[in-house]
Amino acid sequence: VAILVIYFTYLAIAGSLLPGKVVPGIILPDGTRLHYRCNGLASLLSLIMLLGVGARLNFISLEISDRGLELLSVTFIFSFLVTLVLYAAACNSRNIGSSLKPHVTGSLLHDWWFGIQLNPQFMAIDLKFFFVRAGMMGWLLINLSILAKSVQGSTLSGSMILYQLFCALYILDYFVYEEYMTSTWDIIAERLGFMLVFGDLVWIPFTFSIQAWWWLLSNKVKLTTAAAIANCFVFLIGYLVFRGANKQKHVFKKNPKELIWGRSPKVVGGKLLASGYWGIARHCNYLGDLLLALSFSLPCGTSSLVPYFYPSYLLILLIWREKRDEARCAEKYKEVWAEYCRLVPWRILPYVY
């Protein structure tokens, strides 16, 4: 409990005080828009520095992995309780703005799971943006604690180094381009309920680290040079597709006339981008995300399915999300979406799905 409270307190203070680019969100139906201070990278680097100094002076221990199940339990309980509070507060809200207007379906379970407010806040902190930041940083902190234990126990392997390197690059990249998060499905469309809170605070840090926590710490995995090189290629291709697709979408929303791959963008109905990665598949960014997830598991070898839980789960999640996104876009864009689907028939993987 103390670790969680101190962690959230630090993130709240750092997120409010550290310098960072203030990015406007999308324009909401009522004409308003939220603004986000994207100082996640500064917050993360400052936190790592503080933890490093504290560990050097023996003020703190970095071996979170030794008490991981306790921390997991506390975080799960917190996620459950905070979503009950969010639900109760939203039900009593009389705000009619797009961010805080309650969307109640009448089903308690549905409303608690999916949430009923788009962007609830606490002490001027946007909770949705705050929780996803906390989850991504938590993932890196858990990984670093596992790395510290591996070094101290003299069990550091090439597989562990590959896994740690790929994850660290992915997480650091997320914070370098944190402003792109403001135009993602989670921020612009999902309401904040148990699904997002649990996903951000519990699922991301504690299951995305399964490869190191539950496998590489206790199993010696030796990769051949060819396997390590192939693993690097999977990561690189996944990163180029994932980051490239998200960047193209973000830039297009800011400036629809910006060149893509050196050419003027093809736009369907004046609304939907059909150039670059978005002319290859309607959710090409999901393909990149899946390749990245696979690259995090490949260092564990193929002797067990346990390390492949993350990419397997992500495949199911993204297909489910893709179907929800397709239904939402079909309702929102109508014939424009139908034309886009005709021009770009593939959903995630060209010529396969």
Side-chain angles (χ1 to χ4, degrees), residues 278-350:
W278 302 96
I280 297 174
R282 302 200 291 271
H283 305 275
C284 208
N285 55 328
Y286 291 175
L287 174 61
D289 217 356
L290 288 169
L291 289 174
L292 286 170
L294 181 62
S295 75
F296 302 154
S297 299
L298 287 174
C300 300
T302 57
S303 62
S304 173
L305 294 177
V306 172
Y308 292 87
F309 172 79
Y310 172 34
S312 301
Y313 142 78
L314 191 65
L315 176 63
I316 296 172
L317 171 70
L318 292 181
I319 289 177
W320 176 58
R321 173 168 287 192
E322 173 266 323
K323 291 183 181 300
R324 292 172 60 215
D325 195 16
E326 292 267 328
R328 172 179 168 270
C329 289
E331 180 181 357
K332 180 178 180 180
Y333 297 110
K334 297 181 173 58
E335 64 276 0
V336 175
W337 181 254
E339 175 63 15
Y340 176 59
C341 291
R342 188 187 67 79
L343 290 175
V344 187
W346 306 109
R347 295 169 179 253
I348 297 177
L349 181 60

Side-chain angles (χ1 to χ4, degrees), residues 80-293:
F80 179 80
L81 294 177
V82 77
T83 48
L84 290 181
V85 173
L86 285 172
Y87 176 81
C91 286
N92 292 320
S93 173
R94 297 294 179 266
N95 196 303
I96 60 173
S98 297
S99 288
L100 299 176
K101 181 181 179 180
H103 296 266
V104 181
T105 65
S107 169
L108 174 62
L109 183 60
H110 180 280
D111 292 341
W112 168 73
W113 178 268
F114 288 104
I116 57 179
Q117 285 182 311
L118 184 62
N119 297 106
Q121 297 185 353
F122 176 72
M123 297 179 65
I125 297 173
D126 183 273
L127 292 178
K128 189 190 294 184
F129 200 66
F130 178 85
F131 287 149
V132 70
R133 175 181 286 185
M136 292 297 291
M137 288 190 190
W139 179 16
L140 182 60
L141 294 182
I142 289 175
N143 278 352
L144 291 178
S145 75
I146 295 169
L147 179 61
K149 186 171 183 178
S150 181
V151 170
Q152 291 171 1
S154 300
T155 60
L156 185 63
S157 64
S159 296
M160 177 68 83
I161 292 173
L162 270 184
Y163 166 80
Q164 293 284 351
L165 178 63
F166 293 156
C167 289
L169 289 174
Y170 178 80
I171 295 167
L172 288 173
D173 173 82
Y174 171 88
F175 286 108
V176 168
Y177 296 102
E178 190 177 30
E179 67 175 277
Y180 293 177
M181 183 67 189
T182 62
S183 60
T184 60
W185 164 273
D186 283 353
I187 295 295
I188 67 177
E190 295 279 22
R191 292 186 282 273
L192 187 62
F194 183 78
M195 182 182 71
L196 278 190
V197 176
F198 174 82
D200 290 339
L201 298 183
V202 179
W203 202 256
I204 288 177
F206 292 100
T207 65
F208 289 16
S209 56
I210 280 178
Q211 295 93 326
W213 200 345
W214 293 98
W215 193 255
L216 291 176
L217 259 184
S218 55
N219 293 274
K220 276 283 187 180
V221 179
K222 291 187 177 181
L223 296 179
T224 65
T225 302
I229 293 174
N231 197 169
C232 291
F233 270 110
V234 172
F235 174 82
L236 181 60
I237 295 171
Y239 174 77
L240 291 175
V241 175
F242 174 77
R243 176 52 59 214
N246 284 329
K247 184 175 183 179
Q248 286 177 355
K249 179 179 68 173
H250 185 79
V251 169
F252 174 73
K253 288 184 176 181
K254 297 291 183 181
N255 180 13
K257 295 183 179 180
E258 184 79 18
L259 296 181
I260 293 180
W261 291 348
R263 298 180 180 180
S264 297
K266 185 175 183 178
V267 183
V268 180
K271 299 177 181 179
L272 300 177
L273 177 64
S275 290
Y277 289 105
W278 302 96
I280 297 174
R282 302 200 291 271
H283 305 275
C284 208
N285 55 328
Y286 291 175
L287 174 61
D289 217 356
L290 288 169
L291 289 174
L292 286 170

